[in-house]
Amino acid sequence: MKTVKITAPGSAGIVETEKPELKAGHVLLRIGYVGFCGSDLNTFRGLNPLVKFPIVPGHEIGAVIESIAGDVPDGLKAGMNATVNPYTSCGKCPACRNRRPNACEFNQTLGVQRDGAMSEYLSVPWEKVIADDAISPRDFALVEPLSVGFHAVDRAGVTDVDTVAVFGCGMIGAGAIIRAALRGAKVIAVDVDDRKMALARRLGAVYTINSQKEPLHERILEITGGRGADAIVEAVGRPETYLAAVAEAAFTGRVVYIGYAKDKVPFDTQYFVKKELNISGSRNAMPRDFEAVMEYMKRGNCPVDELITAIYQPEDAQTALESWAANPGDVFRILIHFGL
């Protein structure tokens, strides 16, 4: 079967691999679409320390169930549209024992610490399969990245009385904007790309701030009546946005970090204490976050076509990654189409 592999920094292509056999307790998926995410781009650039080459990328999955093992519960049937929860959990580490398996100490995400889904077929344990015929395989490929933003908003404990600032209006930030708006919060979207902020408004943001053109601090104070944002979701991963999240949070506010800052961040920690901030990390997503994204998508309000920047064939994976690497700010999601 066709499989996309990133064999070395800057090099991706098609290889032929064996179609997986259906094992006990597993479901065989016929892959329709797989998204390239930021971790895949960093792998291609040689900047992902979690990856060993060669690697099959991909954990944003839209598929159809091809077949199921005999011991799989009746709720899953051949022919159903599906996606996959791409994380693993050991069940024994502190995160797992605290019922937060998304942050498992020994997690192995598809396409990162282990080979991913960018093949014509994939076999996974049935517990990882999420099926719903109301969502197409193409749209299912967007569920996982949106769920990461949904999870961050859950970590921030956002409610309808909050003003929430989301730093970064890419795919993950889009999920945070949607989830915060669904919870009734007033959302401020912050980015440096006017096109992304225009989409952020359609996703539910009430205000947008281009931080390259406008004074971020003054605008947030203006919008919030001088208080600052009740919650900040940082979905960029740069030292300046890490620092700005603390600066723009209200006293007793909440700050949630999704992005990884590649460089050390020199915090002035007095503000942690003076503001009595709740500062949290947010990693991956929980099953309930997947479910929430799916419910949102089934309402028919998600501008899916605007979230998909381009669709490529597997043979064009190198071109897709080169294009994204050359223009990273222009991309929400790139999908690889295997069929269906």
Side-chain angles (χ1 to χ4, degrees):
M1 64 177 181
K2 290 181 182 178
T3 297
V4 173
K5 276 193 176 183
I6 301 175
T7 55
S11 180
I14 290 287
V15 298
E16 285 293 324
T17 57
E18 292 292 326
K19 180 180 177 181
E21 295 183 1
L22 182 62
K23 300 185 294 186
H26 279 56
V27 171
L28 182 65
L29 299 174
R30 182 184 174 194
I31 300 298
Y33 296 83
V34 183
F36 272 131
C37 80
S39 63
D40 299 319
L41 179 61
N42 282 332
T43 297
F44 182 72
R45 288 168 157 174
L47 300 176
N48 192 336
L50 300 177
V51 166
K52 294 181 179 179
F53 295 105
I55 186 77
V56 178
H59 56 259
E60 302 172 359
I61 300 164
V64 170
I65 296 176
E66 178 84 358
S67 57
I68 58 175
D71 56 348
V72 171
D74 292 339
L76 298 174
K77 303 289 186 184
M80 295 180 73
N81 296 342
T83 190
V84 173
N85 183 327
Y87 324 121
T88 64
S89 53
C90 69
K92 299 177 181 179
C93 74
C96 290
R97 294 177 67 179
N98 287 328
R99 299 182 181 179
R100 288 159 64 179
N102 59 296
C104 175
E105 182 178 356
F106 306 104
N107 167 65
Q108 292 191 333
T109 299
L110 286 170
V112 184
Q113 294 96 341
R114 57 186 173 133
D115 278 340
M118 213 163 273
S119 297
E120 292 182 275
Y121 293 91
L122 180 71
S123 179
V124 293
W126 71 264
E127 296 92 342
K128 294 297 182 181
V129 178
I130 304 167
D132 193 325
D133 282 334
I135 300 176
S136 71
R138 184 197 68 166
D139 294 358
F140 252 137
L142 303 179
V143 168
E144 191 275 342
L146 289 175
S147 73
V148 175
F150 271 49
H151 182 66
V153 170
D154 196 48
R155 291 280 289 153
V158 170
T159 72
D160 57 354
V161 300
D162 288 323
T163 297
V164 179
V166 178
F167 291 180
C169 296
M171 194 66 176
I172 305 303
I177 291 165
I178 293 166
R179 186 55 162 164
L182 288 173
R183 290 193 171 188
K186 184 187 297 181
V187 181
I188 306 167
V190 181
D191 204 288
V192 298
D193 188 315
D194 289 331
R195 293 169 299 174
K196 288 183 177 179
M197 290 189 295
L199 178 55
R201 282 187 176 272
R202 292 194 288 279
L203 295 174
V206 179
Y207 302 97
T208 56
I209 301 172
N210 186 321
S211 58
Q212 278 189 337
K213 301 176 181 179
E214 304 173 77
L216 177 63
H217 182 66
E218 286 78 2
R219 285 285 288 125
I220 286 184
L221 290 181
E222 176 188 341
I223 292 167
T224 62
R227 298 186 304 273
D230 301 297
I232 307 276
V233 176
E234 196 283 340
V236 179
R238 294 179 63 88
E240 54 266 40
T241 49
Y242 258 65
L243 294 171
V246 171
E248 305 311 331
F251 275 66
T252 68
R254 292 97 72 196
V255 176
V256 177
Y257 292 110
I258 310 174
Y260 286 82
K262 305 300 186 295
D263 301 309
K264 292 183 179 180
V265 182
F267 282 110
D268 187 346
T269 56
Q270 64 172 311
Y271 297 110
F272 296 9
V273 179
K274 287 181 177 179
K275 290 187 175 184
E276 199 175 48
L277 297 175
N278 285 357
I279 300 176
S280 305
S282 183
R283 184 183 181 192
N284 299 330
M286 293 282 282
R288 63 175 178 267
D289 302 308
F290 282 77
E291 294 166 8
V293 172
M294 290 163 61
E295 288 303 309
Y296 163 70
M297 296 185 81
K298 286 190 286 186
R299 297 179 187 181
N301 299 324
C302 182
V304 173
D305 291 338
E306 295 182 69
L307 295 175
I308 299 172
T309 305
I311 299 175
Y312 289 84
Q313 297 301 306
E315 292 81 1
D316 299 320
Q318 174 81 22
T319 300
L321 287 165
E322 286 178 345
S323 176
W324 191 6
N327 302 284
D330 293 342
V331 171
F332 276 98
R333 265 307 172 268
I334 290 173
L335 302 184
I336 299 297
H337 183 206
F338 281 90
L340 302 179

